[in-house]
Amino acid sequence: MTLYMAVTPDKFELPITVESTLFDLAEMFGTTPATIATSISRNKSGKRRGAKFVKVEIDD
């Protein structure tokens, strides 16, 4: 199972929100799923947007 998270852009990376799809996360932040996918793959810090995006793999 894959989860997509928005976390705080500091050293603690506390969760802001957790969603099951990129589409839900993109809708919440008013952007496109491609933008979030790019931010995840390039490991962007998220300081400008106020949130860093991460992908979490969970074994069922």
Side-chain angles (χ1 to χ4, degrees):
M1 173 189 246
T2 303
L3 296 176
Y4 298 94
M5 297 175 56
V7 297
T8 57
D10 56 10
K11 68 178 181 178
F12 302 111
E13 292 191 354
L14 299 172
I16 297 171
T17 186
V18 179
E19 299 293 337
S20 58
T21 65
L22 279 175
F23 297 104
D24 294 338
L25 191 59
E27 187 175 301
M28 181 171 279
F29 281 88
T31 187
T32 64
T35 300
I36 293 179
T38 301
S39 295
I40 292 170
S41 68
R42 293 183 181 171
N43 199 22
K44 296 282 186 170
S45 69
K47 289 182 181 178
R48 285 188 175 172
R49 185 173 295 277
K52 179 179 178 180
F53 301 113
V54 294
K55 179 178 172 182
V56 179
E57 295 287 336
I58 298 175
D59 296 330
D60 287 336

